[in-house]
Amino acid sequence: MTGEFRYQQLEAWLLQGLREQRWRQGERLPSIRTLCREHGVSKATVQHALQRLEAQGLVEARPKAGHFVAPQPAAVAQPVARARIEAPRPVTVSDLLLDIMSRSAAFDLLPDLHTGELPPGVVALNRSIGRALRRQDGESFQYYDEPAGDRGLREQLSLHLARRGWRADPERLCVTSGCQNALFLALMACCERGDVVAVESPGFYGVMQLIQQLDLQVVEVPTSNDKGMDIDALEEVLQRWKVRACVVSPAFATPGGTLMPDSARKRLLALAEVHDLAVIEDDIYADTSLGPVPDPLKALDTDNRVILCSSFSKCLSRDLRLGWVSGARWHGRILHLKLVTQLASSRFVQQGVAEFMADGGFAAHLRRQRTELRERRDRLIALLQAWPAGVRASVPQGGLAVWVELPGAVDTLAVYPEALEQGVVITPGPLFSASGQFKNCLRISFAHPWNGARIAALDLLPQLLLQR
Amino acid sequence: MTGEFRYQQLEAWLLQGLREQRWRQGERLPSIRTLCREHGVSKATVQHALQRLEAQGLVEARPKAGHFVAPQPAAVAQPVARARIEAPRPVTVSDLLLDIMSRSAAFDLLPDLHTGELPPGVVALNRSIGRALRRQDGESFQYYDEPAGDRGLREQLSLHLARRGWRADPERLCVTSGCQNALFLALMACCERGDVVAVESPGFYGVMQLIQQLDLQVVEVPTSNDKGMDIDALEEVLQRWKVRACVVSPAFATPGGTLMPDSARKRLLALAEVHDLAVIEDDIYADTSLGPVPDPLKALDTDNRVILCSSFSKCLSRDLRLGWVSGARWHGRILHLKLVTQLASSRFVQQGVAEFMADGGFAAHLRRQRTELRERRDRLIALLQAWPAGVRASVPQGGLAVWVELPGAVDTLAVYPEALEQGVVITPGPLFSASGQFKNCLRISFAHPWNGARIAALDLLPQLLLQR
């Protein structure tokens, strides 16, 4: 047994049992009470250890039934494709990629909106917004909201973030039209035309598009499915070129859902200080965590250079169009850019969301969603296990997608139009690179329920991708 | 009697009577029936002539009572201050001006939000949005709206614009986060860093801020209170410097509420073709017209170079944050910039507004608002008549403000902090110039009702401004 704390000792003991298959997939683990008694530890210690195993996707909690061994994605190996380091360059996005990008923001294998049940969290949210509308009175409709956004919403966001180890000052938060808008304001505030921006590779295509539109240059930093951005590679990049900003998503990297370890976070911030980098933290997936929600990188920012960007789009509703940014030393400029590019946000929408958060509706929604997402992820990994040998897939700890690596000869970009003809939208790997890398990879989302139509779409893929 | 049409003959006869004071201020004009009989014309002809006099602010219609001679602002002379033509330059906005700008977007003499009654139009609008929220179902909250915006709203906007002589193709409309956001997308799409943009002077400060943030240069074109942008001056500017774009508000110019005559519109478009200009039409005040709503400049655009920008902020609610842009030859790039900078707009808000428009609620709201705005404008002009001699004021045909010119020695910028200390927000003239012109001018809004507090604030001004 290793580890200095009791929960770590218990975690190691449970991990060993799982490896030895003392409990098999789907079987129930000993109860919390039994573990307390047999290991002479408190209930909190047992819960902490179990929560950590949950975060690793090894164990799942079923309300009122106990903890069970989660389906193991052992038959699917981790992706290994690694980006090349290339000199900074402008971004050029082809029309085909633009088409794919506009479809892939929906994260769905199916091309059209589908009906289903509105989750209770979104129903409650909509009621809150309706109440905010009915509360509108006097001449408030004649006034723009302040550019930073509704004070009540910023206070709720501050409380929400405080649970993650960072007490955000509401004065240092600015509400935006979603996370993409926050990233836009951040890049516009801290970069000038021609500046070099380091990004994860594979990484988020929306950032690549922003770099193109703002006439910046990109340098891709290899990013792995176990540790996120490779900090050794980043260091090499920073030594070779003058880099102005680095966009990174510690929780969780697009497209593989990787959580950046603490050691990498600390090294990243140390490098940022030495090389005077703006660090833009894309935090949009944090609340999709399948385990405890990790702290933001921003919590470690003692040098006022981490710009945190996020929104409600991935964890609540993409139709709210509400995000936020905390702009560190660039915050004043970000606020001004928000004012100049759109004046303000809708007060009534913000007030509705603030009430929903204050009422506990948001926290309850996230709890329910976590269970659903874990089931959807596990189902996807189980379905991928039936794919031919040689297929590799990430096991995301958060985010909404699995990164799939196919044998080297596959060209997912070439398959895209063919798949679309058959009614399946795939998200090819090259979308996640400014230099067209990852041709043999694709992102598959588990944001939507695995109904018959989606399973049928998924089942079509091996044939389309592998038998050409 | 002149004019080729019967309504023009009748209009000329009525105008002459008004000039000769055959009917005095506040008196009732002959009834429609009497005019029909005495002039041997149809009811429609009489109504057309009366509507045109209304549009000129000479006559006012009172429901069920007839037409009355409007209060004549004869005692207040038109402003004459004229901008100088200066070489293109970058814009630099001082911190004081930023403070003023952020307050002045509220168009109020009072610094805080005030209670009052929510207009029935806004109550109906809010109900429509509430219904759209309750209609949300399935997984639609999981999908971003298309970047161009909700199809139903674009169709309603197209119908709304068609009444003004321009049948907009919904495919050529893009929904934005307000008009400022539309102007931002338009300028970003058609200009590159360093390009020169011609603007009205005095003109809208929001455009000046955009020019600064996008690293463009500005050239100010003198703009008068009777004809809007001086097209002779524009021609001189175009001959002297290479200008990329021209931002103009034909209906109605900020800050004086001037309607650009047809002859000027045609010359402007001819010049735009010769000098290959992008013409950005700021149409935000069109629906605040006190008479018939004028056609947009865009209706005359045969060369696909007029970018129309507008929003609901001045005529319905500033809290909707919904605007639109039709981008002419730059439309594809504008759509892409919308996608990259904010992905999409809120579908439920757009659907609510579309239903409100389809139900006729918007048209009814505009009718009611027109009566209110006319009363508020007339009241303001009457109040200004009590100011000392030498004060000049525009008589706006639309828009929400009067442009006031004081004797040359007055410095409204210097008065600003003093007025603020006394609880009055003034909007100094230099705000409407990139080169600090119009020191002796200020904008006074009539967007809000003239209650006791606002009249008291207005009454403080002559003393603050003139007795220093």
Side-chain angles (χ1 to χ4, degrees):
Chain A
M1 294 202 195
T2 58
E4 46 185 328
F5 293 112
R6 291 186 139 198
Y7 75 84
Q8 290 174 309
Q9 293 173 353
L10 179 59
E11 182 189 350
W13 182 81
L14 286 165
L15 267 173
Q16 197 182 352
L18 289 169
R19 264 197 300 272
E20 292 169 356
Q21 305 211 347
R22 196 180 311 158
W23 314 284
R24 287 171 190 267
Q25 277 190 41
E27 279 184 10
R28 192 169 172 277
L29 292 181
S31 71
I32 293 178
R33 184 178 298 182
T34 308
L35 290 170
C36 287
R37 196 181 56 234
E38 294 188 351
H39 292 263
V41 293
S42 72
K43 194 174 158 192
T45 298
V46 173
Q47 282 172 327
H48 194 172
L50 288 170
Q51 228 170 20
R52 288 176 58 89
L53 294 175
E54 259 189 276
Q56 297 164 59
L58 298 171
V59 156
E60 59 184 31
R62 296 187 197 153
K64 295 180 187 160
H67 288 77
F68 293 77
V69 181
Q72 287 312 302
V76 182
Q78 287 275 308
V80 292
R82 189 183 146 89
R84 298 178 298 275
I85 297 181
E86 293 182 357
R89 59 161 88 192
V91 176
T92 324
V93 179
S94 74
D95 287 346
L96 176 62
L97 282 178
L98 285 179
D99 182 70
I100 301 174
M101 282 170 186
S102 66
R103 290 175 196 274
S104 296
F107 274 82
D108 201 349
L109 282 166
L110 304 178
D112 301 312
L113 255 80
H114 293 273
T115 53
E117 216 172 314
L118 202 60
V122 178
V123 173
L125 166 71
N126 288 351
R127 283 206 196 107
S128 288
I129 298 173
R131 278 194 294 273
L133 270 169
R134 289 193 293 279
R135 273 198 304 270
Q136 199 177 53
D137 69 353
E139 291 168 358
S140 59
F141 73 99
Q142 290 258 43
Y143 295 79
Y144 297 105
D145 190 27
E146 56 180 312
D150 179 69
R151 175 85 201 186
L153 177 60
R154 286 185 283 131
E155 280 168 4
Q156 287 301 321
L157 287 170
S158 169
L159 286 170
H160 185 67
L161 285 162
R163 288 182 209 112
R164 295 174 55 208
W166 179 55
R167 190 164 291 280
D169 179 355
E171 290 300 322
R172 306 288 293 170
L173 288 171
C174 172
V175 173
T176 65
S177 297
C179 189
Q180 181 75 14
N181 189 237
L183 292 167
F184 162 67
L185 295 172
L187 279 168
M188 197 166 172
C190 69
C191 294
E192 283 171 35
R193 185 180 175 168
D195 279 350
V196 177
V197 180
V199 301
E200 292 158 328
S201 180
F204 175 45
Y205 47 83
V207 169
M208 250 84 86
Q209 287 184 295
L210 282 170
I211 289 172
Q212 177 183 25
Q213 293 304 324
L214 292 171
D215 288 324
L216 307 173
Q217 298 190 80
V218 72
V219 57
E220 296 180 66
V221 182
T223 298
S224 72
N225 273 282
D226 54 345
K227 292 190 174 166
M229 183 180 270
D230 179 335
I231 305 297
D232 288 331
L234 175 66
E235 188 164 15
E236 186 187 328
V237 162
L238 296 177
Q239 278 161 359
R240 286 172 68 181
W241 298 288
K242 172 66 199 156
V243 174
R244 176 78 63 159
C246 174
V247 186
V248 66
S249 26
F252 297 86
T254 294
T258 311
L259 178 65
M260 183 183 268
D262 281 347
S263 54
R265 291 171 183 233
K266 285 176 188 150
R267 278 191 65 204
L268 168 60
L269 291 185
L271 284 173
E273 200 165 332
V274 171
H275 294 271
D276 195 20
L277 280 189
V279 179
I280 300 175
E281 177 176 23
D282 181 350
D283 195 44
I284 194 170
Y285 289 108
D287 279 318
T288 63
S289 176
L290 299 179
V293 181
D295 288 355
L297 180 63
K298 180 77 188 158
L300 300 175
D301 177 28
T302 53
D303 199 31
N304 203 24
R305 59 170 73 248
V306 175
I307 305 176
L308 180 127
C309 298
S310 191
S311 93
F312 292 108
S313 292
K314 304 300 187 209
C315 60
L316 179 58
S317 163
R318 287 168 176 73
D319 203 35
L320 281 178
R321 310 312 308 125
L322 279 186
W324 55 92
V325 56
S326 185
R329 59 183 75 180
W330 300 273
H331 196 70
R333 178 146 164 71
I334 285 173
L335 266 177
H336 184 59
L337 285 170
K338 160 86 186 282
L339 171 72
V340 170
T341 59
Q342 56 181 304
L343 291 187
S345 311
S346 263
R347 203 186 287 111
F348 74 87
V349 179
Q350 296 177 74
Q351 288 172 339
V353 176
E355 186 194 287
F356 176 68
M357 294 178 86
D359 283 352
F362 185 43
H365 169 79
L366 290 178
R367 277 196 300 276
R368 276 191 300 266
Q369 183 176 258
R370 189 160 300 144
T371 309
E372 280 178 6
L373 286 179
R374 196 183 291 118
E375 285 166 9
R376 290 174 190 171
R377 177 200 68 174
D378 292 347
R379 185 75 187 273
L380 173 56
I381 288 175
L383 288 163
L384 288 173
Q385 284 170 355
W387 283 29
V391 173
R392 294 168 172 271
S394 69
V395 181
Q397 296 168 267
L400 301 172
V402 165
W403 182 238
V404 176
E405 188 181 319
L406 304 162
V410 174
D411 180 356
T412 51
L413 212 49
V415 173
Y416 175 81
E418 202 175 318
L420 195 58
E421 246 174 57
Q422 307 225 17
V424 183
V425 181
I426 65 167
T427 311
L431 198 61
F432 302 93
S433 160
S435 51
Q437 303 184 49
F438 310 110
K439 270 195 178 154
N440 61 323
C441 297
L442 78 162
R443 179 184 77 178
I444 303 180
S445 160
F446 54 87
H448 298 271
W450 289 108
N451 59 19
R454 285 200 184 88
I455 291 177
L458 189 70
D459 284 348
L460 265 179
L461 287 186
Q463 189 186 334
L464 283 168
L465 290 162
L466 296 167
Q467 281 151 36
R468 288 163 62 87
Chain B
M1 293 204 196
T2 58
E4 47 184 327
F5 292 113
R6 292 187 137 196
Y7 75 85
Q8 289 175 308
Q9 294 172 353
L10 180 60
E11 182 188 349
W13 181 83
L14 286 164
L15 268 174
Q16 199 183 347
L18 289 170
R19 264 197 301 272
E20 294 168 355
Q21 304 211 350
R22 195 178 310 156
W23 314 285
R24 288 171 189 268
Q25 276 190 41
E27 280 184 9
R28 192 167 172 278
L29 292 180
S31 71
I32 292 178
R33 186 178 297 182
T34 308
L35 289 170
C36 286
R37 197 181 55 234
E38 295 187 351
H39 292 263
V41 293
S42 72
K43 191 174 160 191
T45 298
V46 174
Q47 282 173 327
H48 194 173
L50 288 170
Q51 227 170 21
R52 289 176 58 89
L53 294 175
E54 257 189 277
Q56 296 165 59
L58 298 171
V59 156
E60 58 183 32
R62 296 186 196 152
K64 295 180 188 160
H67 288 78
F68 293 77
V69 181
Q72 287 313 301
V76 181
Q78 287 275 307
V80 293
R82 189 184 145 88
R84 300 178 299 274
I85 297 182
E86 293 181 357
R89 60 162 87 192
V91 176
T92 324
V93 178
S94 73
D95 286 345
L96 176 62
L97 281 178
L98 285 179
D99 181 70
I100 301 174
M101 282 171 186
S102 66
R103 289 175 196 274
S104 296
F107 274 82
D108 201 350
L109 283 166
L110 305 177
D112 300 313
L113 255 80
H114 293 273
T115 53
E117 216 173 313
L118 202 61
V122 178
V123 173
L125 165 71
N126 289 351
R127 284 207 195 105
S128 288
I129 298 173
R131 280 194 294 275
L133 270 169
R134 288 193 293 279
R135 273 200 304 270
Q136 198 178 54
D137 69 353
E139 292 167 357
S140 58
F141 72 100
Q142 290 259 43
Y143 295 80
Y144 297 105
D145 190 26
E146 55 180 314
D150 180 68
R151 175 85 201 186
L153 177 61
R154 286 184 283 132
E155 280 168 5
Q156 287 300 322
L157 287 171
S158 169
L159 286 171
H160 185 67
L161 286 162
R163 288 181 209 113
R164 295 174 54 208
W166 179 54
R167 189 163 291 281
D169 179 355
E171 290 300 321
R172 307 287 293 170
L173 288 171
C174 173
V175 174
T176 65
S177 298
C179 190
Q180 180 74 13
N181 189 237
L183 292 167
F184 162 67
L185 295 171
L187 279 169
M188 195 165 173
C190 69
C191 294
E192 282 171 35
R193 184 180 175 168
D195 279 349
V196 176
V197 180
V199 301
E200 293 158 328
S201 180
F204 175 46
Y205 47 82
V207 169
M208 251 84 85
Q209 287 184 295
L210 282 170
I211 288 171
Q212 177 183 26
Q213 293 305 323
L214 292 171
D215 288 325
L216 306 172
Q217 297 189 81
V218 73
V219 58
E220 295 180 66
V221 182
T223 298
S224 72
N225 274 282
D226 54 345
K227 293 191 173 164
M229 182 180 271
D230 179 335
I231 304 298
D232 289 330
L234 175 65
E235 188 164 15
E236 185 188 329
V237 161
L238 296 177
Q239 279 160 359
R240 287 171 68 180
W241 298 289
K242 174 66 199 154
V243 174
R244 176 77 63 158
C246 174
V247 185
V248 66
S249 27
F252 298 86
T254 294
T258 312
L259 178 65
M260 183 184 268
D262 281 347
S263 54
R265 291 170 183 234
K266 283 175 190 151
R267 279 191 65 204
L268 169 59
L269 291 185
L271 284 173
E273 200 165 332
V274 171
H275 294 272
D276 195 21
L277 280 189
V279 178
I280 300 176
E281 177 176 23
D282 181 350
D283 195 44
I284 194 169
Y285 289 107
D287 279 319
T288 63
S289 176
L290 298 179
V293 181
D295 288 355
L297 180 65
K298 180 77 189 159
L300 300 175
D301 177 27
T302 54
D303 198 31
N304 203 25
R305 59 170 72 250
V306 176
I307 306 176
L308 180 128
C309 299
S310 192
S311 92
F312 292 107
S313 292
K314 304 300 186 210
C315 60
L316 181 58
S317 162
R318 288 169 175 73
D319 203 35
L320 280 177
R321 310 311 309 124
L322 279 186
W324 55 91
V325 56
S326 184
R329 59 183 74 179
W330 299 273
H331 196 69
R333 177 146 165 71
I334 286 173
L335 267 177
H336 183 59
L337 285 170
K338 160 85 186 281
L339 170 72
V340 170
T341 58
Q342 56 181 303
L343 291 186
S345 311
S346 265
R347 204 186 288 111
F348 74 87
V349 179
Q350 296 177 75
Q351 288 171 339
V353 175
E355 185 195 287
F356 176 68
M357 294 178 86
D359 283 353
F362 186 43
H365 169 78
L366 290 178
R367 277 195 302 275
R368 274 191 301 264
Q369 183 175 258
R370 189 161 300 144
T371 309
E372 279 177 7
L373 285 180
R374 196 183 292 117
E375 285 167 8
R376 291 174 190 171
R377 179 200 65 173
D378 292 346
R379 184 75 186 272
L380 173 56
I381 288 175
L383 289 164
L384 289 173
Q385 284 170 355
W387 283 29
V391 172
R392 295 167 171 272
S394 69
V395 181
Q397 298 168 268
L400 301 173
V402 165
W403 183 236
V404 176
E405 188 181 320
L406 304 162
V410 174
D411 180 356
T412 52
L413 212 48
V415 173
Y416 175 82
E418 202 176 319
L420 196 58
E421 246 173 58
Q422 307 224 17
V424 184
V425 181
I426 64 167
T427 312
L431 198 61
F432 301 95
S433 160
S435 51
Q437 302 185 51
F438 311 110
K439 270 195 179 155
N440 60 323
C441 299
L442 78 162
R443 179 184 77 178
I444 303 181
S445 161
F446 54 86
H448 299 271
W450 289 108
N451 58 21
R454 284 199 186 89
I455 291 177
L458 189 70
D459 284 347
L460 265 180
L461 288 186
Q463 187 186 336
L464 283 168
L465 291 162
L466 295 168
Q467 282 151 35
R468 288 162 64 85

